Amino acid sequence: MTLIAERPAGTAIDSAEQARPELKPEPEPAMESETPVKDLLIISYSGDLEKVWATLILASTSGAMGVKTRVFCTFWGLQNFVKDEKRITGENWMQKMMSVMQRPGISHRKLSRMNFLGMGPWMMGMLAKKYNVASPKELLEVAQEMGVEFIPCQMTMDMFGLKPDDMMEGMAEPVGAATVIGLMTENSVPLFI
Amino acid sequence: MVVIRRGRAAGIGAPQASRKGRSTMPLLEIAQIVDARGLSCPLPIVRTAQAIKKVGPGALIEVLATDPGSVKDFAAWSRATGNAVLESSSEAGVYRFVLQRK
């Protein structure tokens, strides 16, 4: 409003009083148009059990809340979403060696700290069962059922020698970083986990 | 105010006159019960979202949960999805919600 700029000097209060009706705020527009629901974009970067667990809790909840949710799977985050039954992946010996050192698949995640040759994840699994916390595998199924989109990173697919057949069912087409930046800057809340 | 009656799933969502025929208060039945007792976050919300997809608009769902976080979680879920929380109560550590699909 340009009212204050137009007011001549020395006519402060009276004219401002008269002008008050014009100063009334505009009727509020409908809430929906003011605060559109944003999408959620999780970048799943880590292959650690505790991090992918958090990713899947957030993704499945977000899907359940009707929020359009995408998980971009890159680097070690992509190995979370290789089929559980795949033991060795890759085309050359280095790629194969990588999959031997860290078995891919959602049920074969390790803790980043206190893994103790699998003791840590085993205890986490027992505690989760005891307290009725869904396992990453269950959460992954639920998230997919809730319409969460899992998008592989093309570059990581190439680097680890992963073929579409190695990946779990229902994954989206692989994309690159530009697509992710595009989503991030449009209407998505981004999380990097 | 909505009177909620447990019963068979017939006539869900359609407001009905009460038995005496005097009140115009809509009488709705619970279409489905989600038993999320013992389940941890985020399963009560996830199971509810799965269940509410299977009922028609306006239908009621009753959720039982023991997760203390579910009180705030269902309020947030309701705001995000537009499905209403008609009742929220707790008794002996069990939280009971009656939700209506929008």
Side-chain angles (χ1 to χ4, degrees):
Chain A
M1 293 246 166
T2 55
L3 227 119
I4 292 168
E6 282 171 1
R7 186 200 305 150
T11 60
I13 293 165
D14 280 1
S15 56
E17 286 289 335
Q18 283 178 342
R20 188 164 288 163
E22 282 184 58
L23 282 169
K24 270 187 186 165
E26 300 284 313
E28 279 185 35
M31 282 298 282
E32 285 92 319
S33 61
E34 275 299 284
T35 52
V37 176
K38 285 190 167 185
D39 297 351
L40 177 64
L41 173 66
I42 302 179
I43 297 168
S44 176
Y45 173 82
S46 171
D48 297 332
L49 172 64
E50 70 272 22
K51 297 195 182 75
V52 70
W53 212 330
T55 299
L56 291 170
I57 287 173
L58 291 174
S60 56
T61 307
S62 166
M65 291 176 82
V67 177
K68 174 71 200 162
T69 309
R70 298 178 183 90
V71 180
F72 179 65
C73 316
T74 188
F75 284 88
W76 295 270
L78 187 59
Q79 298 196 328
N80 298 326
F81 306 106
V82 169
K83 282 178 189 143
D84 258 345
E85 61 272 21
K86 290 276 169 188
R87 182 63 195 91
I88 296 168
T89 57
E91 279 153 356
N92 60 44
W93 70 268
M94 268 191 287
Q95 291 168 338
K96 287 180 177 148
M97 195 72 184
M98 292 288 283
S99 70
V100 169
M101 292 191 298
Q102 164 66 78
R103 181 170 180 175
I106 195 67
S107 301
H108 308 112
R109 301 294 86 203
K110 293 176 181 172
L111 287 171
S112 67
R113 298 178 65 202
M114 297 186 281
N115 191 61
F116 292 119
L117 298 169
M119 266 292 274
W122 180 79
M123 284 194 286
M124 283 291 284
M126 293 301 278
L127 287 171
K129 208 167 272 177
K130 184 166 163 34
Y131 292 97
N132 277 313
V133 177
S135 72
K137 191 177 172 64
E138 288 171 76
L139 288 167
L140 177 55
E141 282 163 13
V142 163
Q144 285 193 299
E145 193 189 316
M146 293 282 127
V148 176
E149 208 179 329
F150 291 84
I151 309 168
C153 163
Q154 181 66 64
M155 178 276 288
T156 311
M157 296 276 286
D158 297 341
M159 191 173 70
F160 287 118
L162 293 168
K163 293 179 283 295
D165 178 55
D166 295 326
M167 308 310 297
M168 67 175 189
E169 298 297 323
M171 278 198 110
E173 285 295 302
V175 299
T179 308
V180 176
I181 300 292
L183 288 169
M184 249 191 228
T185 50
E186 276 159 25
N187 192 33
S188 289
V189 175
L191 286 178
F192 189 91
I193 306 179
Chain B
M1 180 61 196
V2 176
V3 176
I4 294 153
R5 178 160 62 88
R6 285 170 186 262
R8 292 183 59 236
I12 297 304
Q16 302 162 13
S18 76
R19 279 185 200 129
K20 286 174 185 171
R22 271 188 296 185
S23 168
T24 53
M25 206 179 270
L27 189 64
L28 300 176
E29 291 175 343
I30 305 279
Q32 205 172 341
I33 297 177
V34 176
D35 187 357
R37 285 175 293 179
L39 299 182
S40 286
C41 167
L43 289 179
I45 289 285
V46 164
R47 296 282 176 253
T48 303
Q50 287 171 323
I52 211 155
K53 276 187 186 173
K54 292 175 187 147
V55 300
L60 303 189
I61 282 201
E62 178 181 333
V63 181
L64 302 173
T66 48
D67 172 18
S70 62
V71 177
K72 284 198 166 181
D73 278 1
F74 275 101
W77 175 82
S78 165
R79 281 196 301 274
T81 58
N83 301 309
V85 178
L86 300 184
E87 272 187 44
S88 174
S89 58
S90 75
E91 199 184 320
V94 177
Y95 301 91
R96 178 174 174 271
F97 305 96
V98 177
L99 313 165
Q100 185 170 36
R101 182 171 174 178
K102 78 167 174 184

